[in-house]
Amino acid sequence: TTTTTTTTSTTTRTSTTTTTQITAAPSCPVAPLGASVIMSFDGANVGDSNIANEGSLSLTAQLNGGATLVAGGVRGTGFAVSLPQITSVVVLGASGVSIDPVVGWTASAWVRNLQPNNMYRTLFRGFQNNGHHPVLSAAGSDIIGTFQNGAQTFFPGGYSLAALTSGSWHQITAVGQGTSTRFFINGSYVGVAAFASNTDIYAVGNFQTGAQLFSSFVDDVRMWPRALTDAEIVLSFSAATCTQGGAVSTVAAPTTTTGTTPSPSTAPTTTTTSTTTTT
């Protein structure tokens, strides 16, 4: 008798699958939508004096009085506007952009190297003689505020521009709604003035005829036909600093003001100061 033994060998194979997860780099926040004016100046060329609006309105900005494009804007690349002369100014279109405090308005610009306070310093100004100064500081003062023409009255906003570091870019934002204008520096609320301009914004960085130069450089001018929320203003600041490609050292953090800073939830506590200076 013959016995045959059959041995069956079983081989177990283990398959290992390696999954590689690709994580995209964090994206920069997007600035609030619906801007009627966007003047980044980055799509222009050296020597250009007419700059097309990137916002919703069809208009062209003009660089007047020796204003020129220079390399190295707030984003670290692209262009900014140099305002080297007492007459240098950026004007918006033929007669400016209407603003209405009933529905609200927001105007923002980045500035570097403020002028001395021995004269009025105007960041935004209306077109005609009755056009108000939505953002300025009065002669002999560092306090930001707004000026009502006709009544010839300066309404202080409670924040001292002396706190802004020279050589750094700073974003100044004004929100006009109802009977007050709220001010923000680098995305942070700093004060309120008891008046809101109801005409238009035509000149940026100076009075259109000169002699009220605000700063040596201006960049990334934006306007919205509505009152941005506090969160949107933070978003606007973050969007600009994020797209700098890491050159955040050119933007100073919000600093402590030396003036009276009313709470956003309370009524303005500032007092008005009259002047007979014609602007």
Side-chain angles (χ1 to χ4, degrees), residues 136 141-146 154-160 181-183 189-194 257 259-262 268-271:
L136 90 165
S141 171
D142 287 312
I143 302 300
I144 196 170
T146 184
F154 173 69
F155 294 86
Y159 178 84
S160 174
T181 301
R182 302 174 70 223
F183 297 100
Y189 170 82
V190 295
V192 60
T257 176
T260 301
T261 306
T269 58
T270 55
T271 58

PDB file of all heavy atoms in Angstrom, residues 136 141-146 154-160 181-183 189-194 257 259-262 268-271:
ATOM      1  N   LEU A 136      -9.240 114.946   6.349  1.00  0.00           N
ATOM      2  CA  LEU A 136      -8.112 115.863   6.394  1.00  0.00           C
ATOM      3  C   LEU A 136      -7.705 116.076   7.842  1.00  0.00           C
ATOM      4  O   LEU A 136      -8.380 115.620   8.773  1.00  0.00           O
ATOM      5  CB  LEU A 136      -8.448 117.214   5.754  1.00  0.00           C
ATOM      6  CG  LEU A 136      -9.033 118.337   6.649  1.00  0.00           C
ATOM      7  CD1 LEU A 136      -8.957 119.657   5.939  1.00  0.00           C
ATOM      8  CD2 LEU A 136     -10.462 118.023   7.065  1.00  0.00           C
ATOM      9  N   SER A 141      -2.548 120.983  13.516  1.00  0.00           N
ATOM     10  CA  SER A 141      -3.105 119.867  14.280  1.00  0.00           C
ATOM     11  C   SER A 141      -2.744 118.545  13.611  1.00  0.00           C
ATOM     12  O   SER A 141      -2.600 118.470  12.393  1.00  0.00           O
ATOM     13  CB  SER A 141      -4.625 119.994  14.374  1.00  0.00           C
ATOM     14  OG  SER A 141      -5.205 118.826  14.918  1.00  0.00           O
ATOM     15  N   ASP A 142      -2.613 117.504  14.417  1.00  0.00           N
ATOM     16  CA  ASP A 142      -2.406 116.154  13.888  1.00  0.00           C
ATOM     17  C   ASP A 142      -3.679 115.316  13.944  1.00  0.00           C
ATOM     18  O   ASP A 142      -3.677 114.155  13.552  1.00  0.00           O
ATOM     19  CB  ASP A 142      -1.305 115.435  14.678  1.00  0.00           C
ATOM     20  CG  ASP A 142       0.084 115.966  14.366  1.00  0.00           C
ATOM     21  OD1 ASP A 142       0.394 116.102  13.171  1.00  0.00           O
ATOM     22  OD2 ASP A 142       0.837 116.254  15.310  1.00  0.00           O
ATOM     23  N   ILE A 143      -4.768 115.893  14.434  1.00  0.00           N
ATOM     24  CA  ILE A 143      -6.000 115.144  14.604  1.00  0.00           C
ATOM     25  C   ILE A 143      -6.710 114.966  13.266  1.00  0.00           C
ATOM     26  O   ILE A 143      -6.959 115.936  12.547  1.00  0.00           O
ATOM     27  CB  ILE A 143      -6.944 115.846  15.604  1.00  0.00           C
ATOM     28  CG1 ILE A 143      -6.257 116.009  16.962  1.00  0.00           C
ATOM     29  CG2 ILE A 143      -8.237 115.057  15.759  1.00  0.00           C
ATOM     30  CD1 ILE A 143      -5.841 114.716  17.610  1.00  0.00           C
ATOM     31  N   ILE A 144      -7.034 113.721  12.943  1.00  0.00           N
ATOM     32  CA  ILE A 144      -7.770 113.447  11.716  1.00  0.00           C
ATOM     33  C   ILE A 144      -9.223 113.873  11.898  1.00  0.00           C
ATOM     34  O   ILE A 144      -9.758 113.866  13.007  1.00  0.00           O
ATOM     35  CB  ILE A 144      -7.678 111.946  11.349  1.00  0.00           C
ATOM     36  CG1 ILE A 144      -8.087 111.725   9.890  1.00  0.00           C
ATOM     37  CG2 ILE A 144      -8.520 111.090  12.303  1.00  0.00           C
ATOM     38  CD1 ILE A 144      -7.797 110.325   9.395  1.00  0.00           C
ATOM     39  N   GLY A 145      -9.855 114.296  10.797  1.00  0.00           N
ATOM     40  CA  GLY A 145     -11.245 114.707  10.891  1.00  0.00           C
ATOM     41  C   GLY A 145     -11.821 114.984   9.521  1.00  0.00           C
ATOM     42  O   GLY A 145     -11.295 114.538   8.498  1.00  0.00           O
ATOM     43  N   THR A 146     -12.899 115.737   9.504  1.00  0.00           N
ATOM     44  CA  THR A 146     -13.561 116.107   8.257  1.00  0.00           C
ATOM     45  C   THR A 146     -13.916 117.593   8.328  1.00  0.00           C
ATOM     46  O   THR A 146     -14.079 118.148   9.408  1.00  0.00           O
ATOM     47  CB  THR A 146     -14.815 115.235   8.025  1.00  0.00           C
ATOM     48  OG1 THR A 146     -15.396 115.540   6.757  1.00  0.00           O
ATOM     49  CG2 THR A 146     -15.844 115.442   9.119  1.00  0.00           C
ATOM     50  N   PHE A 154     -14.277 122.537  11.080  1.00  0.00           N
ATOM     51  CA  PHE A 154     -13.541 121.284  11.166  1.00  0.00           C
ATOM     52  C   PHE A 154     -14.144 120.432  12.270  1.00  0.00           C
ATOM     53  O   PHE A 154     -14.343 120.897  13.395  1.00  0.00           O
ATOM     54  CB  PHE A 154     -12.064 121.548  11.462  1.00  0.00           C
ATOM     55  CG  PHE A 154     -11.263 120.311  11.739  1.00  0.00           C
ATOM     56  CD1 PHE A 154     -11.008 119.396  10.726  1.00  0.00           C
ATOM     57  CD2 PHE A 154     -10.767 120.061  13.001  1.00  0.00           C
ATOM     58  CE1 PHE A 154     -10.272 118.251  10.977  1.00  0.00           C
ATOM     59  CE2 PHE A 154     -10.025 118.919  13.272  1.00  0.00           C
ATOM     60  CZ  PHE A 154      -9.780 118.009  12.247  1.00  0.00           C
ATOM     61  N   PHE A 155     -14.443 119.177  11.949  1.00  0.00           N
ATOM     62  CA  PHE A 155     -14.981 118.230  12.915  1.00  0.00           C
ATOM     63  C   PHE A 155     -13.909 117.186  13.217  1.00  0.00           C
ATOM     64  O   PHE A 155     -13.589 116.355  12.360  1.00  0.00           O
ATOM     65  CB  PHE A 155     -16.240 117.545  12.362  1.00  0.00           C
ATOM     66  CG  PHE A 155     -17.398 118.479  12.165  1.00  0.00           C
ATOM     67  CD1 PHE A 155     -17.526 119.204  10.984  1.00  0.00           C
ATOM     68  CD2 PHE A 155     -18.360 118.649  13.152  1.00  0.00           C
ATOM     69  CE1 PHE A 155     -18.587 120.067  10.788  1.00  0.00           C
ATOM     70  CE2 PHE A 155     -19.429 119.515  12.970  1.00  0.00           C
ATOM     71  CZ  PHE A 155     -19.545 120.231  11.788  1.00  0.00           C
ATOM     72  N   PRO A 156     -13.319 117.228  14.404  1.00  0.00           N
ATOM     73  CA  PRO A 156     -12.226 116.304  14.719  1.00  0.00           C
ATOM     74  C   PRO A 156     -12.718 114.876  14.925  1.00  0.00           C
ATOM     75  O   PRO A 156     -13.823 114.645  15.407  1.00  0.00           O
ATOM     76  CB  PRO A 156     -11.643 116.881  16.019  1.00  0.00           C
ATOM     77  CG  PRO A 156     -12.785 117.605  16.642  1.00  0.00           C
ATOM     78  CD  PRO A 156     -13.603 118.160  15.520  1.00  0.00           C
ATOM     79  N   GLY A 157     -11.847 113.932  14.564  1.00  0.00           N
ATOM     80  CA  GLY A 157     -12.185 112.518  14.696  1.00  0.00           C
ATOM     81  C   GLY A 157     -11.544 111.829  15.879  1.00  0.00           C
ATOM     82  O   GLY A 157     -11.747 110.640  16.077  1.00  0.00           O
ATOM     83  N   GLY A 158     -10.739 112.567  16.654  1.00  0.00           N
ATOM     84  CA  GLY A 158     -10.238 112.006  17.897  1.00  0.00           C
ATOM     85  C   GLY A 158      -8.978 111.174  17.812  1.00  0.00           C
ATOM     86  O   GLY A 158      -8.542 110.612  18.808  1.00  0.00           O
ATOM     87  N   TYR A 159      -8.328 111.107  16.641  1.00  0.00           N
ATOM     88  CA  TYR A 159      -7.107 110.295  16.516  1.00  0.00           C
ATOM     89  C   TYR A 159      -5.964 111.163  16.020  1.00  0.00           C
ATOM     90  O   TYR A 159      -6.126 111.924  15.064  1.00  0.00           O
ATOM     91  CB  TYR A 159      -7.333 109.135  15.538  1.00  0.00           C
ATOM     92  CG  TYR A 159      -6.099 108.278  15.326  1.00  0.00           C
ATOM     93  CD1 TYR A 159      -5.777 107.261  16.207  1.00  0.00           C
ATOM     94  CD2 TYR A 159      -5.247 108.484  14.241  1.00  0.00           C
ATOM     95  CE1 TYR A 159      -4.637 106.470  16.025  1.00  0.00           C
ATOM     96  CE2 TYR A 159      -4.114 107.709  14.043  1.00  0.00           C
ATOM     97  CZ  TYR A 159      -3.820 106.699  14.944  1.00  0.00           C
ATOM     98  OH  TYR A 159      -2.694 105.933  14.763  1.00  0.00           O
ATOM     99  N   SER A 160      -4.805 111.027  16.636  1.00  0.00           N
ATOM    100  CA  SER A 160      -3.642 111.818  16.241  1.00  0.00           C
ATOM    101  C   SER A 160      -2.818 111.085  15.189  1.00  0.00           C
ATOM    102  O   SER A 160      -2.325 109.975  15.429  1.00  0.00           O
ATOM    103  CB  SER A 160      -2.766 112.126  17.458  1.00  0.00           C
ATOM    104  OG  SER A 160      -1.584 112.779  17.049  1.00  0.00           O
ATOM    105  N   THR A 181     -18.733 110.478  10.480  1.00  0.00           N
ATOM    106  CA  THR A 181     -17.704 109.777   9.714  1.00  0.00           C
ATOM    107  C   THR A 181     -16.821 109.013  10.696  1.00  0.00           C
ATOM    108  O   THR A 181     -16.256 109.606  11.621  1.00  0.00           O
ATOM    109  CB  THR A 181     -16.833 110.757   8.912  1.00  0.00           C
ATOM    110  OG1 THR A 181     -17.661 111.505   8.013  1.00  0.00           O
ATOM    111  CG2 THR A 181     -15.774 109.998   8.102  1.00  0.00           C
ATOM    112  N   ARG A 182     -16.710 107.712  10.489  1.00  0.00           N
ATOM    113  CA  ARG A 182     -15.879 106.871  11.346  1.00  0.00           C
ATOM    114  C   ARG A 182     -14.537 106.652  10.651  1.00  0.00           C
ATOM    115  O   ARG A 182     -14.470 106.499   9.426  1.00  0.00           O
ATOM    116  CB  ARG A 182     -16.574 105.539  11.626  1.00  0.00           C
ATOM    117  CG  ARG A 182     -17.940 105.704  12.285  1.00  0.00           C
ATOM    118  CD  ARG A 182     -18.669 104.383  12.418  1.00  0.00           C
ATOM    119  NE  ARG A 182     -18.022 103.536  13.412  1.00  0.00           N
ATOM    120  CZ  ARG A 182     -17.814 102.236  13.251  1.00  0.00           C
ATOM    121  NH1 ARG A 182     -18.148 101.644  12.115  1.00  0.00           N
ATOM    122  NH2 ARG A 182     -17.248 101.529  14.212  1.00  0.00           N
ATOM    123  N   PHE A 183     -13.459 106.605  11.441  1.00  0.00           N
ATOM    124  CA  PHE A 183     -12.114 106.492  10.899  1.00  0.00           C
ATOM    125  C   PHE A 183     -11.447 105.196  11.375  1.00  0.00           C
ATOM    126  O   PHE A 183     -11.604 104.792  12.538  1.00  0.00           O
ATOM    127  CB  PHE A 183     -11.266 107.690  11.313  1.00  0.00           C
ATOM    128  CG  PHE A 183     -11.774 109.000  10.775  1.00  0.00           C
ATOM    129  CD1 PHE A 183     -12.526 109.844  11.581  1.00  0.00           C
ATOM    130  CD2 PHE A 183     -11.524 109.377   9.464  1.00  0.00           C
ATOM    131  CE1 PHE A 183     -13.010 111.044  11.092  1.00  0.00           C
ATOM    132  CE2 PHE A 183     -12.002 110.572   8.966  1.00  0.00           C
ATOM    133  CZ  PHE A 183     -12.741 111.412   9.776  1.00  0.00           C
ATOM    134  N   TYR A 189     -10.518 100.502  14.201  1.00  0.00           N
ATOM    135  CA  TYR A 189     -11.297 101.709  14.472  1.00  0.00           C
ATOM    136  C   TYR A 189     -10.542 102.623  15.436  1.00  0.00           C
ATOM    137  O   TYR A 189     -10.002 102.165  16.445  1.00  0.00           O
ATOM    138  CB  TYR A 189     -12.646 101.320  15.075  1.00  0.00           C
ATOM    139  CG  TYR A 189     -13.434 102.499  15.614  1.00  0.00           C
ATOM    140  CD1 TYR A 189     -14.195 103.289  14.762  1.00  0.00           C
ATOM    141  CD2 TYR A 189     -13.401 102.812  16.967  1.00  0.00           C
ATOM    142  CE1 TYR A 189     -14.902 104.383  15.249  1.00  0.00           C
ATOM    143  CE2 TYR A 189     -14.109 103.893  17.463  1.00  0.00           C
ATOM    144  CZ  TYR A 189     -14.862 104.676  16.609  1.00  0.00           C
ATOM    145  OH  TYR A 189     -15.550 105.748  17.088  1.00  0.00           O
ATOM    146  N   VAL A 190     -10.494 103.933  15.099  1.00  0.00           N
ATOM    147  CA  VAL A 190      -9.756 104.867  15.953  1.00  0.00           C
ATOM    148  C   VAL A 190     -10.569 106.075  16.398  1.00  0.00           C
ATOM    149  O   VAL A 190     -10.156 106.779  17.326  1.00  0.00           O
ATOM    150  CB  VAL A 190      -8.467 105.359  15.258  1.00  0.00           C
ATOM    151  CG1 VAL A 190      -7.490 104.216  15.039  1.00  0.00           C
ATOM    152  CG2 VAL A 190      -8.777 106.077  13.940  1.00  0.00           C
ATOM    153  N   GLY A 191     -11.693 106.383  15.757  1.00  0.00           N
ATOM    154  CA  GLY A 191     -12.445 107.553  16.179  1.00  0.00           C
ATOM    155  C   GLY A 191     -13.566 107.924  15.233  1.00  0.00           C
ATOM    156  O   GLY A 191     -13.726 107.316  14.166  1.00  0.00           O
ATOM    157  N   VAL A 192     -14.340 108.946  15.600  1.00  0.00           N
ATOM    158  CA  VAL A 192     -15.502 109.361  14.823  1.00  0.00           C
ATOM    159  C   VAL A 192     -15.624 110.876  14.855  1.00  0.00           C
ATOM    160  O   VAL A 192     -15.316 111.513  15.865  1.00  0.00           O
ATOM    161  CB  VAL A 192     -16.790 108.689  15.355  1.00  0.00           C
ATOM    162  CG1 VAL A 192     -17.052 109.068  16.806  1.00  0.00           C
ATOM    163  CG2 VAL A 192     -17.994 109.003  14.481  1.00  0.00           C
ATOM    164  N   ALA A 193     -16.038 111.459  13.738  1.00  0.00           N
ATOM    165  CA  ALA A 193     -16.301 112.894  13.637  1.00  0.00           C
ATOM    166  C   ALA A 193     -17.798 113.106  13.426  1.00  0.00           C
ATOM    167  O   ALA A 193     -18.463 112.294  12.770  1.00  0.00           O
ATOM    168  CB  ALA A 193     -15.514 113.510  12.481  1.00  0.00           C
ATOM    169  N   ALA A 194     -18.314 114.210  13.941  1.00  0.00           N
ATOM    170  CA  ALA A 194     -19.754 114.461  13.933  1.00  0.00           C
ATOM    171  C   ALA A 194     -20.230 115.148  12.659  1.00  0.00           C
ATOM    172  O   ALA A 194     -21.038 116.081  12.698  1.00  0.00           O
ATOM    173  CB  ALA A 194     -20.124 115.296  15.157  1.00  0.00           C
ATOM    174  N   THR A 257      -3.438 105.852  19.954  1.00  0.00           N
ATOM    175  CA  THR A 257      -3.693 107.256  19.660  1.00  0.00           C
ATOM    176  C   THR A 257      -3.491 108.120  20.895  1.00  0.00           C
ATOM    177  O   THR A 257      -3.662 107.657  22.019  1.00  0.00           O
ATOM    178  CB  THR A 257      -5.127 107.449  19.131  1.00  0.00           C
ATOM    179  OG1 THR A 257      -5.363 108.831  18.952  1.00  0.00           O
ATOM    180  CG2 THR A 257      -6.154 106.889  20.082  1.00  0.00           C
ATOM    181  N   GLY A 259      -5.207 111.036  21.077  1.00  0.00           N
ATOM    182  CA  GLY A 259      -6.393 111.878  21.156  1.00  0.00           C
ATOM    183  C   GLY A 259      -7.526 111.171  21.864  1.00  0.00           C
ATOM    184  O   GLY A 259      -7.361 110.113  22.468  1.00  0.00           O
ATOM    185  N   THR A 260      -8.722 111.755  21.826  1.00  0.00           N
ATOM    186  CA  THR A 260      -9.908 111.137  22.395  1.00  0.00           C
ATOM    187  C   THR A 260     -10.491 110.175  21.391  1.00  0.00           C
ATOM    188  O   THR A 260     -10.801 110.552  20.267  1.00  0.00           O
ATOM    189  CB  THR A 260     -10.956 112.208  22.748  1.00  0.00           C
ATOM    190  OG1 THR A 260     -10.378 113.118  23.679  1.00  0.00           O
ATOM    191  CG2 THR A 260     -12.191 111.575  23.359  1.00  0.00           C
ATOM    192  N   THR A 261     -10.664 108.919  21.770  1.00  0.00           N
ATOM    193  CA  THR A 261     -11.179 107.903  20.866  1.00  0.00           C
ATOM    194  C   THR A 261     -12.533 107.425  21.350  1.00  0.00           C
ATOM    195  O   THR A 261     -12.613 106.601  22.253  1.00  0.00           O
ATOM    196  CB  THR A 261     -10.215 106.710  20.763  1.00  0.00           C
ATOM    197  OG1 THR A 261      -8.928 107.201  20.408  1.00  0.00           O
ATOM    198  CG2 THR A 261     -10.687 105.711  19.723  1.00  0.00           C
ATOM    199  N   PRO A 262     -13.633 107.957  20.803  1.00  0.00           N
ATOM    200  CA  PRO A 262     -14.958 107.534  21.248  1.00  0.00           C
ATOM    201  C   PRO A 262     -15.219 106.084  20.890  1.00  0.00           C
ATOM    202  O   PRO A 262     -14.662 105.548  19.939  1.00  0.00           O
ATOM    203  CB  PRO A 262     -15.903 108.467  20.481  1.00  0.00           C
ATOM    204  CG  PRO A 262     -15.037 109.551  19.943  1.00  0.00           C
ATOM    205  CD  PRO A 262     -13.686 108.952  19.769  1.00  0.00           C
ATOM    206  N   PRO A 268     -20.822 110.594  19.135  1.00  0.00           N
ATOM    207  CA  PRO A 268     -19.564 111.353  19.106  1.00  0.00           C
ATOM    208  C   PRO A 268     -19.463 112.288  20.298  1.00  0.00           C
ATOM    209  O   PRO A 268     -20.426 112.968  20.656  1.00  0.00           O
ATOM    210  CB  PRO A 268     -19.645 112.119  17.788  1.00  0.00           C
ATOM    211  CG  PRO A 268     -20.600 111.336  16.954  1.00  0.00           C
ATOM    212  CD  PRO A 268     -21.598 110.760  17.922  1.00  0.00           C
ATOM    213  N   THR A 269     -18.290 112.347  20.904  1.00  0.00           N
ATOM    214  CA  THR A 269     -18.086 113.228  22.048  1.00  0.00           C
ATOM    215  C   THR A 269     -17.168 114.388  21.707  1.00  0.00           C
ATOM    216  O   THR A 269     -16.805 115.164  22.555  1.00  0.00           O
ATOM    217  CB  THR A 269     -17.475 112.439  23.218  1.00  0.00           C
ATOM    218  OG1 THR A 269     -16.245 111.851  22.776  1.00  0.00           O
ATOM    219  CG2 THR A 269     -18.420 111.342  23.683  1.00  0.00           C
ATOM    220  N   THR A 270     -16.764 114.474  20.417  1.00  0.00           N
ATOM    221  CA  THR A 270     -15.862 115.542  20.013  1.00  0.00           C
ATOM    222  C   THR A 270     -16.613 116.856  19.886  1.00  0.00           C
ATOM    223  O   THR A 270     -17.823 116.896  19.683  1.00  0.00           O
ATOM    224  CB  THR A 270     -15.186 115.213  18.678  1.00  0.00           C
ATOM    225  OG1 THR A 270     -16.225 114.936  17.719  1.00  0.00           O
ATOM    226  CG2 THR A 270     -14.298 113.999  18.807  1.00  0.00           C
ATOM    227  N   THR A 271     -15.913 117.934  19.977  1.00  0.00           N
ATOM    228  CA  THR A 271     -16.493 119.255  19.798  1.00  0.00           C
ATOM    229  C   THR A 271     -15.994 119.871  18.521  1.00  0.00           C
ATOM    230  O   THR A 271     -14.905 119.552  18.047  1.00  0.00           O
ATOM    231  CB  THR A 271     -16.152 120.173  20.985  1.00  0.00           C
ATOM    232  OG1 THR A 271     -14.730 120.245  21.087  1.00  0.00           O
ATOM    233  CG2 THR A 271     -16.718 119.609  22.280  1.00  0.00           C
TER     234      THR A 271
END
